[in-house]
Amino acid sequence: MVDIDRRSVLRTTAIVAGGAAMAAGGALVGGPFAGLLNRAAHAGGGNAPFRELGPVADLRDGAVRLWLPEGFQYRSFHDTEYATVLDDGTNLPGRHDGMAAFAGPGGNVLLVRNHEVNGPGVGPDFAGAPNVALTQRHGFIFEVPAGGQSNRQPITQAGRFAHEACAFDPHDGILYLTEDNFGFPSGFYRYLPAHHPMHTGQLDNGGRLQMLAVRGQPNAD
């Protein structure tokens, strides 16, 4: 097995679709996804394991940023080339790497901000910056109402670590979380709330956090 992290994927994978390539229905692909897409291209008939991809316009401004299977759609938050100022004067950063959100119950949005675990009691962050000036503990997730103000209370039971992405299962009410830790092997987690969020209308802070492990291999990397 070849070890590939997300940054390697972004660095080594390139999909180029110019006028001639699109006219031929093809794309130039390199990096770790090359074999995956080649397999899809050569799998004929109804048994093809992957659906063909095509350019899809961003619902926000009509620009094509992703190639997706037929029927899929997406909406970006804002451009990454420059910072954005909202109507209420709030500044959004130009680089929003690792910000994740999902539509939750009661019109709420669970926002996971990718920031490192820092604050009181923690040494310098991954860039070597000291934490002595910070008075609050960082590294938690927060629930943010889609049309209102967050109560700013961290969901501490969901863990304090370098959160990266999240996905919510509305059927079982489970929140799946990934980690992006520069200093140690990162984990794959799930948070099981004490009460089903789709029934209560919120993600409670009384649940249980679990981390994926390999049976029979303690501390497997």
Side-chain angles (χ1 to χ4, degrees), residues 13-41:
T13 301
I15 299 180
V16 181
M22 292 184 66
L28 304 177
V29 182
F33 289 154
L36 181 70
L37 296 184
N38 284 339
R39 178 185 174 193

Side-chain angles (χ1 to χ4, degrees), residues 93-161:
R95 295 182 178 182
H96 46 257
D97 168 55
M99 291 185 184
F102 69 85
N108 287 344
V109 172
L110 186 79
L111 175 67
V112 177
R113 177 68 177 95
N114 176 16
H115 57 83
E116 310 313 317
V117 179
N118 46 29
V122 179
D125 63 22
F126 70 95
N131 286 303
V132 294
L134 298 176
T135 60
Q136 298 292 329
R137 297 195 305 161
H138 293 259
F140 300 109
I141 62 174
F142 297 81
E143 189 173 44
V144 181
Q149 182 67 253
S150 168
N151 61 13
R152 299 183 178 88
Q153 297 302 310
I155 302 175
T156 57
Q157 290 296 103
R160 182 190 183 196
F161 53 87

Side-chain angles (χ1 to χ4, degrees), residues 199-220:
H199 299 160
T200 62
Q202 64 181 4
L203 188 70
D204 64 57
N205 196 19
R208 185 160 47 107
L209 183 69
Q210 298 177 328
M211 180 177 178
L212 181 67
V214 179
R215 189 186 303 273
Q217 298 184 42
N219 299 316

Side-chain angles (χ1 to χ4, degrees), residues 61-75:
D61 59 4
V64 175
R65 295 185 171 91
L66 294 176
W67 281 40
L68 299 173
E70 182 180 357
F72 281 71
Q73 61 184 16
Y74 65 96
R75 180 191 299 274

